[in-house]
Amino acid sequence: MPESPETALLAQRFTEDLLDGCRVLARDYGYRPAQFERMVREHGGVEAVRLLLRGAGTAGGFTVLWEKNQLGRSSEATMLREEYADLFTADELLLARRRLEEHGFDVDAHLRRTAVEG
């Protein structure tokens, strides 16, 4: 089933948010997630995130974000934001939440902050 124009626009915004996050990480933290950025550009943000979620364990970039206390900039945290949740299945969202929580990230506090900021 083809996606609606609204869903396509939302997916594009999600992709742009992920790429903006890559730029911030490079500028502010000296970390450039080149492989992730390439995946996002090649597949689009939604599909890139799905590919990563299907992988065993966490990607190297996730570990770097965890070490830098920046999991709020992870694709998992971004996909859980209310504005993007409709792009993913309930199972995908649950997996993203679990992955973050297993690394000590307070997902609910993060979502409250992003709702206020957004």
Side-chain angles (χ1 to χ4, degrees), residues 29-101:
Y29 299 95
Y31 170 64
R32 183 164 180 258
Q35 184 177 2
F36 175 73
E37 189 175 344
R38 191 169 34 259
M39 284 181 69
V40 170
R41 290 186 188 284
E42 183 178 330
H43 300 285
V46 173
E47 187 57 28
V49 168
R50 285 186 172 135
L51 289 168
L52 289 171
L53 283 175
R54 285 194 291 262
T58 57
F62 186 94
T63 302
V64 171
L65 293 174
W66 176 71
E67 290 169 349
K68 294 182 179 292
N69 197 29
Q70 291 297 312
L71 284 179
R73 297 193 180 278
S74 68
S75 56
E76 290 85 351
T78 303
M79 68 186 281
L80 289 171
R81 289 177 20 199
E82 184 177 342
E83 65 198 277
Y84 296 129
D86 288 343
L87 293 171
F88 301 98
T89 67
D91 286 344
E92 290 167 337
L93 295 170
L94 182 60
L95 180 55
R97 176 180 279 275
R98 267 198 205 128
R99 199 170 276 180
L100 290 163
E101 289 174 344

